[in-house]
Amino acid sequence: MAIEVDRNLCEANGLCVAAAPEVFALDKDEELVIGEVVADAELAERVRVAVASCPRNALRVTG
Ligand code: SF4
């Protein structure tokens, strides 16, 4: 599972970070950092929820 962020859309509100902190983080410049999604069904579901609930529609599952 791979996730991409459109940095032109992301407003760094941290909603995806709250939903799946194992994968999403904001760095010191408030840029979204996306980590590796390990093969874990529960985590993958939370990542899908995070992608679907981004209010800016900035996240995309690419693989
Ligand atoms: S939920 Fe969307 S807008 Fe908010 S930090 Fe994540 S990618 Fe950016």
Side-chain angles (χ1 to χ4, degrees), residues 3-63:
I3 313 293
E4 277 183 8
V5 61
D6 183 334
R7 297 194 186 280
N8 294 320
L9 293 176
C10 176
E11 62 184 10
N13 57 34
L15 293 179
C16 57
V17 181
E22 302 94 328
V23 173
F24 300 103
L26 291 170
D27 71 11
K28 61 179 171 39
D29 298 321
E30 300 224 313
E31 288 272 310
L32 187 68
V33 180
I34 301 177
E36 192 180 340
V37 183
V38 294
D40 177 285
E42 190 271 338
L43 176 58
E45 182 54 31
R46 276 194 287 122
V47 169
R48 279 191 201 92
V49 169
V51 169
S53 58
C54 171
R56 300 283 294 160
N57 205 18
L59 294 171
R60 203 158 58 92
V61 178
T62 58

